[in-house]
Amino acid sequence: MIVMGLIAGAALGIERLRQVDRFLRQPAARRRLGRSRPRVASDSTVVRVVGTLEEPSVRAGLRAMTGGMRGRGAGKLPLPDRGPTPVGVVEGSSVGKLLARVFVQVGELELPEDLEPWEKPGTELLASYRLLRRVGAHRGQGWIERLVSDGLSRTREFFRFCREERGCHGVVKPDEETLTLREDADGLFDAQPCLPGVEDVEGVDAQRAGAYRIWTASGFAWEGVPSPLR
C-alpha cells in the first residue's frame, strides 16, 4: 500500500514525504488505494518502510498502479511525425537502499512499470537487458516503438538489441563530445545549411521556459550496427 502511494505521488510530481503524507490523507487517494482508514501511512512510517523495501514488493506495486492507467490510454507520447507513440525510458534509480534499472513508459503521465536490481558498478547494462526482456515478454510484440536510455547504453549491443530483439528504435543521450559519431555530426552541422539532409529546428519549450535549437542528420554508419543511425 505504501509503495503504491509513493508511486502515485511520484506520478503527480510530489517530491517530499510530508507532501506524500498529506496526499495519502485525501479521500480520492485513499479510494484509489482501496483504503478506508483516515490515512494510509505517516511520513515517519514511509521512511521506515522504504528502508526495508525489496524487489518483489516494489515490482508488485509498480504493476498494480500502472496497469490500469496504461489500459485507459495513458503512456503514449505525441510525436510530430507519428502521433501518439509508445515511448519507454530505461535508467538508473533507487528506492530506499534498492539500486535498480527502471523501465518507465512516458506520455501524459510517467508510468514506471518494472525494475531490475544491479549488484555492483559495471553490471547496470546487463540489468537493463534482463529488465527489457521481462517487460517485453509480459507486454507482447510491438509494446514499444522508441526506447530511450542514458549514456551507459552508447554501445553497439544496445542498438542491436533494440532492432533485433525488441523491434524498436533505440535512442541514447550521451553527453561526451569526443564520440566519433558526435564529431562526424558536428562537422555536418557546422556546414549547415549548405549540405542537404541536415535539418535545423528552433522553438520554445513553454513548460520548461526555455528556447531550443536542434540539428539532425541521418545515415550514419557504425561498424557492427545493422541499421544506420540518426
Side-chain angles (χ1 to χ4, degrees), residues 18-110:
R18 287 188 179 275
Q19 294 173 310
V20 172
D21 186 325
R22 290 197 292 270
F23 165 68
L24 294 178
R25 294 171 189 253
Q26 297 177 18
R30 289 188 283 112
R31 282 197 304 271
R32 180 66 184 88
L33 296 173
R35 198 69 164 174
S36 59
R37 291 176 55 187
R39 65 180 182 182
V40 175
S42 66
D43 51 355
S44 59
T45 301
V46 171
V47 171
R48 176 171 52 81
V49 171
V50 165
T52 65
L53 286 176
E54 296 182 353
E55 175 190 353
S57 59
V58 178
R59 177 176 293 131
L62 289 173
R63 289 191 172 174
M65 283 299 299
T66 61
M69 289 187 284
R70 192 176 62 249
R72 292 194 292 272
K76 289 191 176 183
L77 194 66
L79 299 182
D81 58 338
R82 299 283 295 174
T85 304
V87 175
V89 176
V90 59
E91 62 180 350
S93 189
S94 62
V95 183
K97 298 177 181 179
L98 180 64
L99 299 174
R101 300 292 284 179
V102 180
F103 174 77
V104 181
Q105 190 161 334
V106 296
E108 292 181 3
L109 296 175
E110 296 184 358

Side-chain angles (χ1 to χ4, degrees), residues 186-197:
D186 283 344
L188 288 177
F189 301 151
D190 289 342
Q192 196 277 344
C194 301
L195 295 176

Side-chain angles (χ1 to χ4, degrees), residues 149-211:
S149 187
D150 52 24
L152 281 175
S153 298
R154 63 187 189 287
T155 66
R156 297 171 175 85
E157 176 59 29
F158 176 75
F159 290 107
R160 283 200 301 266
F161 173 85
C162 289
R163 298 300 295 151
E164 296 174 3
E165 288 199 36
R166 299 293 88 189
C168 66
H169 293 284
V171 181
V172 176
K173 185 187 175 185
D175 49 18
E176 294 114 304
E177 298 185 4
T178 57
L179 292 175
T180 301
L181 288 170
R182 170 68 183 270
E183 292 176 346
D184 291 345
D186 283 344
L188 288 177
F189 301 151
D190 289 342
Q192 196 277 344
C194 301
L195 295 176
V198 176
E199 299 178 56
D200 182 3
V201 180
E202 294 184 77
V204 175
D205 185 334
Q207 183 177 353
R208 296 170 181 80

